Amino acid sequence: MKPMHCSAPPDLPRRWPVPSERRAHQVVSVAALSGQFRQGRAGRRLEQARRIGIHTLRQARAGAMALTVACLLVACAHGPKGPGHRGTVDAPASVPVSNAETPHWQPVAGEPGLLYERDDHRPGQVLHWLRLDLQDPRLRLTLTGPDERGRPLDAFDGATDALAVINASFFDRAFTPRGWTVSAGQVWAPVLSADSSPTLACITWIRCDVLLQPPPAPPSPAWLAVSGTPWLVRAGQARRPSDDADCRFCQAVHPRTALGLDADGRHLIVVLAEGRRGEVAGLRLSELAVLMAARGVHQAFNLDGGGSSSLLIEGRATMARPFNEPSLRPLANALIIRRTQDFAP
């Protein structure tokens, strides 16, 4: 978008006639014509009138200039409304649409490859961000296996000793996950709605891809795969409210969990949004998508949210729970980030 240069409208006069200014000119003219009497009493009065007239003239000019500047500022604030004008279209009003905000990452347990930020500077929103460097050899990403399904987040094996643990798949009452799911090379079966569930597929724990168009079969070879719905960021472009015209779940505000990759696929970004607790209600999916794109996420999709959204950092729960569900919910599985030296296949 080209920068806008503000200038005065063509019909805006440079100065306007001001009654007090005309009177000032008249006084100055009288003073000039009567200069020969300044030595006497009448001269002194005329000299005094001349000074008053000059002062009045300066005030009038200053007032006219101030009014001109004020009009120009108003014109700049409103900007052009002609054919080339572009306004904010189809973007959530409560969410910033630029990446001007500077993240305040903090390393988890002193690990520079795993960063965390609690983001609560927008009214009514509390988010938790994680950024994992997939190429850091000291860190490893895993997904809990099918034999652990049905456990709350803090009951998965090694959860309390891990650097971070995040809820993952959607699931049914039998804890069957949605979409293609692979844990340490083990393919989950059965799964739900695999043909409409975007997938994070990792050939190893250092190379992952977000497949917004899911493959017809489980990713192979794959070390890890986890799926969700719907897509949030596609090629750096955030989901819009119009994309959710037929999705009430997407339009509503809820606690959320989502993940994505940056443009070069090196960093996995995970975000969780608190909700269902008074003023902190949660986020619409289009709002969450805008925030992720602003953080440089290139491809992203939504994971299970609501009462499932939960996060442990170094064994401690970091998210406030919904008022209607204070306890951790049993889950199908969870993503776990731990040190490689602590990893046990």
Side-chain angles (χ1 to χ4, degrees):
M1 182 177 180
K2 295 183 178 180
M4 182 179 68
H5 299 284
C6 297
S7 60
D11 58 344
L12 185 66
R14 187 164 176 261
R15 291 198 305 123
W16 295 276
V18 179
S20 59
E21 187 175 349
R22 291 199 300 268
R23 289 196 301 269
H25 279 296
Q26 293 169 1
V27 173
V28 172
S29 299
V30 172
L33 292 173
S34 306
Q36 62 270 31
F37 300 107
R38 289 177 185 172
Q39 298 302 319
R41 184 174 180 181
R44 286 193 298 272
R45 288 178 179 176
L46 287 173
E47 177 66 18
Q48 184 179 9
R50 186 186 70 84
R51 292 176 181 176
I52 293 174
I54 291 174
H55 179 69
T56 304
L57 174 61
R58 289 173 178 172
Q59 285 185 322
R61 287 177 175 173
M65 182 175 294
L67 182 58
T68 302
V69 171
C71 290
L72 290 175
L73 290 176
V74 170
C76 291
H78 287 283
K81 295 295 187 288
H85 176 62
R86 291 179 59 189
T88 301
V89 177
D90 203 17
S94 61
V95 177
V97 293
S98 71
N99 58 357
E101 298 174 3
T102 303
H104 300 284
W105 299 108
Q106 297 293 329
V108 176
E111 292 290 347
L114 179 60
L115 305 180
Y116 166 77
E117 181 189 355
R118 175 187 168 89
D119 176 7
D120 59 0
H121 66 275
R122 286 174 297 275
Q125 296 181 10
V126 179
L127 293 93
H128 302 264
W129 296 87
L130 282 170
R131 190 181 75 168
L132 171 65
D133 184 349
L134 294 169
Q135 296 182 15
D136 190 328
R138 296 169 297 185
L139 303 175
R140 188 169 296 191
L141 175 69
T142 63
L143 182 73
T144 58
D147 57 331
E148 297 184 67
R149 70 179 81 198
R151 302 184 187 183
L153 196 69
D154 57 359
F156 288 110
D157 292 349
T160 56
D161 298 323
L163 296 174
V165 188
I166 308 105
N167 74 286
S169 299
F170 288 92
F171 54 90
D172 63 9
R173 293 183 178 180
F175 299 103
T176 303
R178 176 177 181 131
W180 300 124
T181 308
V182 180
S183 301
Q186 180 182 5
V187 178
W188 289 51
V191 296
L192 308 169
S193 306
D195 59 345
S196 59
S197 302
T199 300
L200 173 75
C202 303
I203 297 176
T204 67
W205 55 86
I206 65 172
R207 178 59 191 174
C208 299
D209 291 294
V210 169
L211 309 174
L212 297 184
Q213 182 62 45
S220 180
W223 161 261
L224 178 154
V226 64
S227 303
T229 191
W231 69 273
L232 297 179
V233 182
R234 186 192 304 273
Q237 298 300 308
R239 188 179 191 85
R240 297 182 176 185
S242 57
D243 295 314
D244 296 329
D246 299 323
C247 179
R248 295 179 61 185
F249 153 76
C250 305
Q251 297 172 7
V253 291
H254 291 294
R256 303 289 187 180
T257 303
L259 63 75
L261 294 173
D262 60 10
D264 61 8
R266 175 167 180 166
H267 295 101
L268 176 72
I269 294 90
V270 179
V271 59
L272 300 94
E274 296 183 10
R276 297 181 185 168
R277 54 179 195 88
E279 293 183 357
V280 181
L283 289 175
R284 298 175 180 85
L285 286 185
S286 58
E287 295 174 333
L288 185 61
V290 170
L291 294 172
M292 295 185 78
R295 294 261 179 156
V297 177
H298 189 68
Q299 302 271 88
F301 61 87
N302 182 55
L303 292 173
D304 192 15
S308 296
S309 289
S310 47
L311 171 66
L312 301 181
I313 299 291
E314 295 186 85
R316 299 187 301 274
T318 61
M319 292 181 65
R321 296 292 301 163
F323 288 160
N324 65 335
E325 196 172 351
S327 300
L328 290 172
R329 176 185 291 183
L331 305 169
N333 50 35
L335 291 164
I336 298 184
I337 303 170
R338 49 167 63 96
R339 292 185 175 95
T340 303
Q341 64 188 32
D342 299 331
F343 177 73

